[in-house]
Amino acid sequence: MKEAQAVKRSPLLYITQPNLQPAYVKVQEYISIKKEAQIIEEESVTKEKKVVEQQGVAQEGNNAAKSTNDRKSFKEFSTLEKIHFFTNAKSNMPKPLCEIMTEHDTFQGKIMSLENEMVTARILKDPYKVEIPLSSIKSVQIIGL
């Protein structure tokens, strides 16, 4: 019995087996690459580099300033930048809970809008809606969402 099991046989597919030759499987021997797409991509990259180099020389100072402003953390923003961040945020982003410190009071709530140098905030305590002059705000900190 062990000798019969040692002989490797092909699987049975039909009730009566025809004598078939073993199948020769072709493995992929070559790779086809579309050269047109590569050429177009290379041309567009070189054109973009030329345009960037031409504009980069003229706007090098401006780009450096923009890249540093884009990469600042929220703690590094000025008070006005923080208020603009909250008022200009996307509508699908929830407004975070903030602590607004003024010269006389401290408010906890959400900054809703900025109009005519007046910041409108919805706070947690009564009265629930407060308008604060922009000049009297000392700092703005995020408490939570």
Side-chain angles (χ1 to χ4, degrees), residues 96-112:
L97 195 62
C98 303
E99 184 177 52
I100 305 164
M101 289 195 251
T102 63
E103 296 169 355
H104 305 290
D105 293 323
T106 301
F107 300 103
Q108 291 182 350
K110 299 179 180 184
I111 296 175
M112 302 310 290

Side-chain angles (χ1 to χ4, degrees), residues 3 13 21 25-26 34 38-39 42 44 46-47 51 64 79 83 85-86 92 95 108 123 127 138:
E3 291 175 11
L13 300 175
Q21 304 250 337
V25 181
K26 290 186 177 182
K34 295 182 180 180
Q38 288 179 348
I39 293 170
E42 290 174 4
S44 64
T46 55
K47 287 179 183 177
V51 170
T79 305
I83 293 170
F85 176 78
F86 292 126
N92 61 355
K95 294 191 183 263
Q108 291 182 350
I123 61 173
K138 289 184 178 178

Side-chain angles (χ1 to χ4, degrees), residues 39-110:
I39 293 170
I40 293 170
E41 288 176 12
E42 290 174 4
E43 289 175 359
S44 64
V45 169
T46 55
K47 287 179 183 177
E48 289 175 8
K49 285 181 182 179
K50 289 179 183 177
V51 170
V52 169
E53 289 174 1
Q54 292 172 356
Q55 293 176 353
V57 173
Q59 298 177 354
E60 190 171 287
N62 293 341
N63 289 340
K66 287 181 182 179
S67 65
T68 56
N69 289 343
D70 292 340
R71 299 292 181 186
K72 276 201 261 183
S73 69
F74 185 77
K75 293 178 183 178
E76 296 173 353
F77 283 172
S78 68
T79 305
L80 184 60
E81 288 175 328
K82 289 179 183 180
I83 293 170
H84 280 292
F85 176 78
F86 292 126
T87 57
N88 297 332
K90 294 182 181 179
S91 62
N92 61 355
M93 185 178 118
K95 294 191 183 263
L97 195 62
C98 303
E99 184 177 52
I100 305 164
M101 289 195 251
T102 63
E103 296 169 355
H104 305 290
D105 293 323
T106 301
F107 300 103
Q108 291 182 350
K110 299 179 180 184

